[in-house]
Amino acid sequence: MGLLSDPVRRRALARLVLRLNAPLCVLSYGAGIAWFLALAFPPLTQRTYMSENAMGSTMVEEQFAGGDRARNFARDFAAHRRKSGALPVAWLERAMQSVGLEVYTQTFSRKLPFPDETHERYMVSGTNVYGILRAPRAASTESLVLTVPCGSDSTNSQAVGLLLALAAHFRGQIYWAKDIIFLVTEHDLLGTEAWLEAYHDVNVTGMQSAPLRGRAGAIQAAVALELSSDVVTSLDVAVEGLNGQLPNLDLLNLFQTFCQKGGLLCTLQGKLQPQDWASLDGPLQGLQTLLLMVLRQASGCPHGPHGLFLRYRVEALTLRGINSFRQYKYDLVAVGKALEGMFRKLNHLLERLHQSFFLYLLTALSHFVSIGLYMPAAGFLLLVLGLKALELWMQLHEAGVGPEEAGGTPGHVPPLPPAQGVGLASLVAPLLISQAVGLALYILPVLSQHVAAQHFPVAEAEAVVLTLLAIYAAGLALPHNTHRVVNTQAPDRGWMALKLVALIYLALQLGCVALINFSLGFLLAATMVPAAALAEPRGPRPVYAVLLVLTSPAATLLGSLFLWRELQEAPLSLSEGWQLFLAALSQGVLDHYAYGALLFPMVALGFYPCWLLFWNVLFWK
Amino acid sequence: MAATYCLDRVMAALAGLVLLSFGSLAISKIEDQAEQLFRSGHTNNWAVLVCTSRFWFNYRHVANTLSVYRSVKRLGIPDSHIVLMLADDMACNPRNPKPATVFSHKNMELNVYGDDVEVDYRSYEVTVENFLRVLTGRIPSSTPRSKRLLSDDRSNILIYMTAFYPSLYIFVSILFRVSFSAKKIATDPFATSSGCVLYLVFFTQSVRHGGNGFLKFQDSEEITNIELADAFEQMWQKRRYNELLFIIDTCQGASMYERFYSPNIMALASSQVGEDSLSHQPDPAIGVHLMDRYTFYVLEFLEEINPASQNNMNDLFQVCPKSLCVSTPGHRTDLFQRDPKNVLITDFFGSVRKVEITTETISLQLDSEIMEDRYKEDQMSEELMEPLKYAEQLPVAQIIHQKPKPKDWHPPGGFILGLWALIIMVFFKTYGIKHMKFIF
C-alpha cells in the first residue's frame, strides 16, 4: 500500500524522476537562487521588534556628560602608549583605580603557528587590564562587559578614553544590579581570547595565560568599542562572530533603539539604512547589505572582539566609530549616552537574552529575515543533489526501466547482482585517496613551513600559503592515479556509483553546514551544486572541467573577495585580488589556530575531498 | 443563597449607636437619617490587595497596589483588616535608583512605600493557593492573624488585583478522540472487538497578550476566572462576606469577572476582553513606568474622597473614560442587590463607623418592619425567613440514586456494513475492477 513499496507506483514515480530530472533540477536550482534574492523584499524581510520585556522601551535617562574627561583620558593614553610602545599597563591600572574600579591584570603569551604578516606578529605576549565595577546592592552573580581592543596598528585611544569616562560615570550610579567589567585587551583579539579563556577556565587554543585574580558573575552581554577619533560621523555595528555565530537579535534591537533615540547615524556593513521599503530602492539596498552579511558570515572569522564572546554564548556586538567626510559629526558624549542607555537597559535584564532570534539575516538595522524564511533557499539547492542522486540510484538498479523495456533488453538483467558488489569495492580507492589529499591539505602546510622556507626563497607565511595552493592543485592530478587502481570491469557503473556517493556526501555536508552557518552553506551550495550535478565522464569534458575548477572552494573564495569589494564600492584589480586572496588564505589558517575558526578544517577535510570526487568522476576511464 | 440578617445585631447596633433624646421635631427626617445609617448593612470592612507580578519592569504593579493600600488605609481600614500581597520587592531591588522607596507619580511627592507598610504575603508566598486559602479561610491553624481574612457575614470586602501578562504563549491543547470499533464477526472466532483510539493533540498559539480568562501569578502559575468565581461562591456559602467589590487592573480584565455567579458582588475591570491595559507615568530616572492608567485615575478619584463623602459607585464607574484609559474599563453589577447609586464609595474603600449624633428622639421601627422596608421589592424575602442551611457541596444522595444513563442510539452494524458495501459497489461500477491494483 505504501508509495515506494508498491512496484507499480514505484515504477511510475521512477519514470517521472528519470524523465523530468533535468527540468526539475533546473527549476529547483532556479527556485533556490530566486528565493534567496527575494529575501530582501518585504513579505520575507520583516521589521525587527523588541521581544524582551525587560528592555521594552528606551525609557531611561542618559546623564553621561564626561566628554572632556574622555578626551583627556584618550590624550594621556595615547601619549603613554607612544612613550612605552606597548599598552601602558601601569597608567591604565592607575587610571582605573582613580575612577574607583577593582583593577586586575592578566598576562598572556602565544606563539602563532607561523608569522602573521598582516598584523606583523609571531611570538605574542601581552597584558590585559580590566576593572570591575561591583554592583552596590546585588550579589556578584551576573556581569556585563565593555571591552576595547588595543592592537598594534589601531590606536583606539578614544575608545579607551570613553571607557574610562563611562566607568567613572557608572561608578557614581547606584542602580547597578550586575557587575560591569571594563576590559582593555592588548593585541586585540588574541588578548580577548586569552581573557575569555581564563575567565571561563578553559583552554581551547593553546594560549598560555595567567589565571584571573578577579572575577564577576556570569557574563550576560558584552559590547566592544572601537573609536579612533574625537568625533564620529556614524557608528557601524558588527554582529557576525566566530564560525558565523550571531548575537541575539534583541541586543541589536537595543542598539538600534538607542541610535534612534540619540539621533545617531548608524550603519550596518558600512551601508546607510534605507528608509523607503515600499518602493524598489529600499529592498535593493537591503539586498546589498544582505549579500555583504552573507559573505562576512560565511567567512567564519570573528569580525571584532564580540565574535569571540559568542562562543561562550555571551551576547555581544562591536561598535565602530566611523569618521568620514560627512558634515554632521557626533562627539564622544553622544556615543557615551548611547552606551549608557544600552548598559542601563541590559542592567534591567532578568534572564539571559533569549526571547528573540539567534539565527537571522539582516537586510538593514531595522529589518531581518528569520530562519524559517531563509532556509527554503538552501533546501531548494540541496533538492537538486537529492534528485540527481535518486536518478543515479534508479539507473544503477534499472528501476526506471519499465517492464516492456526491460523485456526488450534482457541482457541488462543478469549482470545486475555482481555489478553492485564491484561498484562498491571500486569506490574505496578514490574515496580514500581524496580524503588523504584533504588531510594533507590540512596538516602539511603548517607542518612543513620550515622545510619549505629553507628550500625556497620565501618567508614562512608565504610558504604556508604556497604549500596550501600546491597541495590543492596537486589534488587535481588525482584521476590519473586512481584509474589504474580501479577495477574497470563495469565502466559506466563505476562512475555512477562514485558520483552517487559524492552527491550524498556533498548533500549531507551542505545540509549540516547550512544549519550551523547558513551563509556558508548557501554560498557553497550555490556554487558547487550545478557543477556537481553536471559532472560526468561523457559529454563536453573540457567545459565541465572548467566549470568544476571555477566552482571549487578556493575559486569560490576568490570570487567572494571580488564580490565583497564590489559591494563595498571599492572594486579590486586582478593583482590586488590575488594578493588579498593569499592574505585571506593565511588569515583563514591563522584564525583556525588562534581562535578555533572551523572554516579551514571544514573545507580541507570535508568540501575539498568531496569536490575531488566530482573531479574524479569527470575524468573516469 | 439565603442572606443572613442577624436581627439581634441590628438591635444592638441601634441601641448602642443612636442616641435617643426627647423632642420629636422633624421626625421623618431623622428617621430617614436612621435609615441611611443602616442602608449598607455591613459592620466591618476588609481589603485584600494583590500584586501578582514579579520583576523590575513590573514596578508599576507594585506601585498600583501600594497606592490602593495607602488610600484604603487613609479612609480608615486598619492594617489588621488589610491583607496585602506583593509578589516582588521593588523598594529593595538593586535596580531602584531611589532605594527603599516606591513612587506612583513622577513628581515624586509621595513615597507609597512609606514607613508603615505591612506586607502580609510577599515574594514567593504570593501563590494561587495562598490567595484562595486567604479568601476561603482554609488556612492552617498556625497562620498568624495578620495573614488571615477574618471576615464575617457583615463584612464588606474590597479585592484589588493587578498583574501583568508576560508575552508567553499559551498552549491550548485540544484533544480529539476519534474512536471506532469493529463489530465482532461471528464467523471468525479470533476476531475480537477492537477499539482504536486516536488522540490528536493540537497546540495552537494564542495571541501575544494571552490571558482571556486567567490571571498570571508570579511567572509560574495562573488562576482562572472559574476558580475565582468558585472561590467567591465558597466565601458566600461560608458567610464570609456581606458585599464584595472586585477590582482588577490587567489586560483583558473583564474576562476575570464574567464567570462570577455569587450574589452581592460588584466587579470592575480596567479593560475589556481583547484589550490591553496600558501603563502611565513613564519615569526615565527610575527607568520604568510608575503606574497603570486605570489605577492612576481611580486613585486620582479616591484622593478626593474623605470618610464623609457621599460619592457613590456610579462615580467610580466613570473615573476612567476611554479617552484617558485607552482601554475600555468595564463593570458588572447584575449580581449586586443594591442600586450602585446608593452604594457609597466608603462602603468598600473605607471603614466608616456609623455614628449620627442627634438630640432628637426617634422611635425605631420593629426589626421586621425595617427588614420589610428594605426588601419590600425583594422577592426572596420569604426565603430569607427560612431557616438557613449550608448548600449541598457534594450531592451524595443524587449520585447514589441516579439511574444508569441510557445508551446513545447507534445505527445497527448491519446498516453500516451495507452502506459501505453500497459505496464500494458504486465505486467499482464507476471506475471498473481493473483499476483495483492502483488503489492498493
Side-chain angles (χ1 to χ4, degrees):
Chain A
M1 232 167 103
L3 188 66
L4 290 174
S5 56
D6 167 38
V8 180
R9 286 193 153 205
R10 202 169 87 173
R11 197 169 298 132
L13 194 73
R15 219 175 286 150
L16 185 79
V17 168
L18 284 182
R19 204 168 292 161
L20 292 179
N21 197 279
L24 277 178
C25 284
V26 171
L27 199 69
S28 179
Y29 186 77
I33 300 291
W35 189 289
F36 177 76
L37 293 177
L39 288 181
F41 291 83
L44 292 178
T45 181
Q46 301 161 336
R47 277 200 74 85
T48 53
Y49 51 88
M50 186 71 90
S51 304
E52 176 63 56
N53 279 319
M55 305 198 303
S57 64
T58 54
M59 198 184 54
V60 288
E61 199 170 47
E62 295 96 339
Q63 297 165 322
F64 178 68
D68 291 333
R69 204 166 181 190
R71 273 189 295 280
N72 287 338
F73 275 130
R75 211 174 306 125
D76 287 1
F77 175 78
H80 280 91
R81 190 186 165 84
R82 258 197 309 280
K83 209 172 7 171
S84 64
L87 193 72
V89 174
W91 179 85
L92 261 178
E93 276 185 284
R94 266 205 316 283
M96 282 190 179
Q97 255 152 12
S98 74
V99 301
L101 304 181
E102 261 181 60
V103 189
Y104 302 96
T105 57
Q106 181 215 14
T107 54
F108 64 93
S109 65
R110 175 85 168 94
K111 182 170 173 279
L112 295 175
F114 58 90
D116 181 358
E117 294 203 328
T118 45
H119 296 100
E120 292 170 355
R121 59 192 180 191
Y122 181 41
M123 310 265 269
V124 179
S125 70
T127 312
N128 295 327
V129 184
Y130 64 103
I132 302 175
L133 166 61
R134 297 284 176 196
R137 284 182 289 142
S140 290
T141 51
E142 293 178 338
S143 59
L144 304 170
V145 172
L146 177 61
T147 176
V148 171
C150 289
S152 51
D153 46 350
S154 67
T155 51
N156 245 356
S157 50
Q158 274 76 8
V160 174
L162 186 55
L163 174 130
L164 289 170
L166 272 176
H169 173 65
F170 285 179
R171 180 74 172 78
Q173 312 304 320
I174 58 162
Y175 46 65
W176 299 113
K178 297 170 172 41
D179 292 357
I180 302 178
I181 304 176
F182 297 90
L183 170 67
V184 179
T185 61
E186 202 173 359
H187 300 294
D188 46 44
L189 297 197
L190 282 176
T192 314
E193 178 67 29
W195 188 84
L196 276 171
E197 286 188 10
Y199 196 88
H200 295 96
D201 201 16
V202 290
N203 195 341
V204 284
T205 58
M207 181 84 65
Q208 282 101 43
S209 61
L212 296 186
R213 277 174 293 125
R215 275 179 54 88
I219 305 172
Q220 304 293 302
V223 177
L225 188 63
E226 292 180 9
L227 278 180
S228 295
S229 53
D230 280 344
V231 286
V232 294
T233 49
S234 61
L235 276 182
D236 190 55
V237 59
V239 287
E240 304 88 354
L242 190 70
N243 296 326
Q245 279 183 296
L246 296 170
N248 193 289
L249 190 55
D250 267 346
L251 190 62
L252 191 75
N253 293 341
L254 186 69
F255 170 70
Q256 198 227 338
T257 50
F258 276 100
C259 270
Q260 280 177 347
K261 189 184 180 191
L264 284 167
L265 185 66
C266 292
T267 58
L268 183 70
Q269 317 287 2
K271 296 271 176 197
L272 288 176
Q273 299 308 300
Q275 303 298 324
D276 178 23
W277 284 87
S279 74
L280 208 58
D281 293 348
L284 283 181
Q285 215 178 329
L287 186 62
Q288 287 191 357
T289 316
L290 179 74
L291 278 173
L292 275 169
M293 174 165 181
V294 164
L295 291 176
R296 280 174 74 166
Q297 200 190 2
S299 77
C301 60
H303 291 273
H306 74 281
L308 300 174
F309 281 88
L310 294 173
R311 176 192 284 153
Y312 303 94
R313 207 60 261 167
V314 174
E315 311 310 322
L317 43 80
T318 297
L319 306 182
R320 288 197 178 90
I322 309 286
N323 194 12
S324 68
F325 300 109
R326 273 178 176 271
Q327 198 71 42
Y328 197 82
K329 314 239 183 204
Y330 304 94
D331 62 349
L332 292 181
V333 175
V335 181
K337 278 191 169 173
L339 280 170
E340 185 194 357
M342 283 176 73
F343 269 83
R344 193 151 174 213
K345 271 293 170 191
L346 288 171
N347 181 50
H348 283 187
L349 273 186
L350 296 145
E351 305 163 276
R352 280 177 178 280
L353 285 168
H354 65 282
Q355 305 260 20
S356 195
F357 293 88
F358 284 105
L359 300 161
Y360 52 88
L361 292 175
L362 292 167
T363 50
L365 266 177
S366 60
H367 283 75
F368 78 108
V369 186
S370 83
I371 179 169
L373 293 173
Y374 67 60
M375 272 324 257
F380 278 123
L381 295 190
L382 295 185
L383 185 65
V384 176
L385 297 179
L387 282 173
K388 270 285 162 200
L390 204 60
E391 183 195 26
L392 281 174
W393 174 257
M394 283 166 179
Q395 280 174 351
L396 276 174
H397 288 263
E398 307 286 346
V401 188
E404 59 282 336
E405 295 162 57
T409 52
H412 275 229
V413 186
L416 186 64
Q420 268 177 315
V422 172
L424 281 181
S426 69
L427 293 184
V428 175
L431 277 173
L432 275 183
I433 292 175
S434 58
Q435 282 297 336
V437 176
L439 199 65
L441 188 68
Y442 177 60
I443 295 174
L444 284 184
V446 175
L447 201 69
S448 65
Q449 50 170 321
H450 300 296
V451 183
Q454 276 168 7
H455 290 86
F456 300 97
V458 286
E460 268 92 349
E462 284 173 321
V464 169
V465 174
L466 293 179
T467 321
L468 207 65
L469 286 176
I471 297 175
Y472 196 92
L476 304 190
L478 192 72
H480 308 289
N481 298 335
T482 48
H483 79 274
R484 291 187 203 99
V485 184
V486 169
N487 191 335
T488 53
Q489 188 190 346
D492 236 15
R493 258 168 206 293
W495 72 261
M496 276 181 171
L498 183 60
K499 192 178 171 186
L500 177 62
V501 169
L503 281 172
I504 294 171
Y505 187 29
L506 183 64
L508 279 177
Q509 285 189 62
L510 285 175
C512 294
V513 170
L515 284 178
I516 303 164
N517 183 349
F518 169 79
S519 301
L520 181 61
F522 181 81
L523 212 59
L524 285 172
T527 51
M528 286 179 84
V529 161
L534 287 175
E536 56 179 39
R538 301 173 300 203
R541 263 201 212 182
V543 177
Y544 288 159
V546 169
L547 190 63
L548 255 183
V549 169
L550 282 181
T551 58
S552 84
T556 307
L557 173 62
L558 191 63
S560 305
L561 285 174
F562 278 102
L563 179 61
W564 182 49
R565 293 298 287 266
E566 189 66 39
L567 287 169
Q568 284 198 324
E569 289 154 19
L572 283 171
S573 67
L574 273 178
S575 61
E576 277 174 338
W578 180 251
Q579 288 302 320
L580 204 61
F581 175 64
L582 296 182
L585 282 180
S586 74
Q587 205 56 49
V589 179
L590 266 180
D591 277 348
H592 170 58
Y593 285 100
Y595 312 122
L598 288 175
L599 182 65
F600 173 55
M602 206 139 58
V603 170
L605 299 174
F607 287 104
Y608 176 66
C610 188
W611 180 82
L612 273 186
L613 288 180
F614 288 107
W615 185 257
N616 209 333
V617 166
L618 185 61
F619 289 102
W620 191 272
K621 281 181 184 163
Chain B
M1 192 52 227
T4 60
Y5 295 100
C6 188
L7 305 180
D8 299 346
R9 273 201 204 189
V10 176
M11 276 296 282
L14 286 174
L17 294 177
V18 182
L19 302 176
L20 306 174
S21 82
F22 27 86
S24 54
L25 287 163
I27 279 180
S28 64
K29 186 179 169 243
I30 287 171
E31 280 183 347
D32 198 40
Q33 270 185 9
E35 198 178 319
Q36 286 281 316
L37 196 63
F38 304 119
R39 74 174 168 182
S40 81
H42 73 281
T43 60
N44 58 69
N45 280 83
W46 286 81
V48 181
L49 312 175
V50 190
C51 160
T52 67
S53 48
R54 292 186 75 75
F55 307 139
W56 172 244
F57 55 90
N58 290 328
Y59 184 96
R60 61 185 188 279
H61 296 295
V62 175
N64 286 347
T65 314
L66 283 172
S67 307
V68 175
Y69 170 82
R70 194 189 145 275
S71 289
V72 297
K73 220 165 137 176
R74 181 177 64 83
L75 291 171
I77 303 183
D79 258 330
S80 58
H81 282 209
I82 302 176
V83 180
L84 179 60
M85 301 176 128
L86 294 182
D88 205 350
D89 185 4
M90 293 307 162
C92 297
N93 193 305
R95 294 168 182 83
N96 192 344
K98 296 178 166 54
T101 58
V102 174
F103 289 98
S104 62
H105 196 287
K106 55 189 166 190
N107 64 14
M108 301 285 161
E109 273 173 3
L110 186 66
N111 169 20
V112 288
Y113 197 66
D115 43 13
D116 56 349
V117 174
E118 275 183 27
V119 184
D120 300 303
Y121 288 81
R122 65 194 177 91
S123 65
Y124 288 110
E125 291 171 357
V126 183
T127 58
V128 174
E129 182 184 342
N130 278 348
F131 175 63
L132 292 181
R133 281 186 184 283
V134 165
L135 289 188
T136 55
R138 297 170 185 273
I139 286 182
S141 54
S142 59
T143 312
R145 278 182 78 86
S146 64
K147 290 191 169 194
R148 289 166 184 258
L149 181 69
L150 296 166
S151 55
D152 55 35
D153 59 339
R154 294 265 123 206
S155 303
N156 273 12
I157 304 182
L158 164 71
I159 295 181
Y160 174 85
M161 300 186 84
T162 178
F164 166 74
Y165 293 115
S167 60
L168 88 167
Y169 297 113
I170 306 107
F171 292 104
V172 182
S173 64
I174 307 164
L175 204 67
F176 282 96
R177 184 160 182 252
V178 183
S179 71
F180 47 91
S181 59
K183 284 269 174 190
K184 190 188 276 181
I185 302 168
T187 52
D188 186 353
F190 295 102
T192 54
S193 112
S194 63
C196 175
V197 183
L198 180 66
Y199 291 97
L200 302 171
V201 182
F202 283 76
F203 291 99
T204 53
Q205 221 175 39
S206 102
V207 286
R208 184 178 158 83
H209 276 273
N212 184 357
F214 75 85
L215 183 80
K216 194 96 180 136
F217 265 68
Q218 310 267 0
D219 210 19
S220 52
E221 50 183 359
E222 344 26 75
I223 185 171
T224 63
N225 48 4
I226 298 171
E227 285 167 332
L228 195 63
D230 287 343
F232 287 158
E233 173 63 18
Q234 204 175 108
M235 286 173 78
W236 175 249
Q237 291 186 3
K238 292 175 83 174
R239 303 188 210 172
R240 287 175 64 77
Y241 70 84
N242 171 43
E243 283 168 340
L244 197 148
L245 176 65
F246 178 77
I247 303 183
I248 186 158
D249 188 345
T250 184
C251 303
Q252 317 207 34
S255 68
M256 283 309 283
Y257 63 60
E258 63 191 14
R259 298 296 181 112
F260 291 172
Y261 55 93
S262 314
N264 286 353
I265 296 182
M266 193 186 300
L268 286 92
S270 63
S271 54
Q272 295 296 329
V273 176
E275 279 184 340
D276 289 347
S277 179
L278 287 112
S279 53
H280 201 245
Q281 303 281 329
D283 185 281
I286 297 178
V288 284
H289 287 269
L290 301 186
M291 267 249 124
D292 278 317
R293 279 178 177 272
Y294 180 71
T295 309
F296 178 80
Y297 291 107
V298 167
L299 287 168
E300 209 175 56
F301 169 74
L302 287 180
E303 283 300 304
E304 303 299 315
I305 303 289
N306 57 57
S309 299
Q310 293 297 305
N311 296 63
N312 60 43
M313 281 295 163
N314 278 343
D315 299 333
L316 183 63
F317 295 157
Q318 277 139 28
V319 291
C320 195
K322 195 169 162 67
S323 56
L324 293 175
C325 255
V326 185
S327 59
T328 323
H331 57 265
R332 184 175 169 192
T333 52
D334 57 326
L335 297 167
F336 207 70
Q337 310 278 354
R338 293 190 284 155
D339 188 345
K341 75 169 189 287
N342 295 329
V343 183
L344 294 183
I345 296 293
T346 48
D347 282 356
F348 289 101
F349 283 93
S351 185
V352 179
R353 293 279 163 266
K354 303 274 194 267
V355 177
E356 285 287 338
I357 298 172
T358 176
T359 50
E360 310 302 323
T361 309
I362 51 170
S363 64
L364 290 170
Q365 293 167 289
L366 282 175
D367 302 331
S368 54
E369 283 172 37
I370 295 174
M371 301 306 299
E372 272 165 33
D373 280 356
R374 288 181 60 199
Y375 298 104
K376 50 180 171 270
E377 65 264 33
D378 191 348
Q379 304 91 329
M380 287 178 291
S381 51
E382 309 93 59
E383 243 178 87
L384 294 174
M385 295 304 138
E386 284 176 9
L388 295 165
K389 60 170 189 280
Y390 285 113
E392 291 277 9
Q393 294 204 349
L394 188 67
V396 181
Q398 269 183 37
I399 291 169
I400 292 171
H401 296 295
Q402 70 186 349
K403 285 179 194 155
K405 253 189 174 177
K407 263 194 165 177
D408 289 337
W409 181 83
H410 196 269
F415 173 74
I416 291 175
L417 271 178
L419 198 66
W420 272 110
L422 191 71
I423 290 169
I424 289 168
M425 270 172 60
V426 168
F427 182 82
F428 285 123
K429 196 79 187 160
T430 320
Y431 295 104
I433 199 85
K434 64 174 190 282
H435 290 279
M436 187 83 168
K437 62 183 177 195
F438 292 112
I439 296 155
F440 299 110

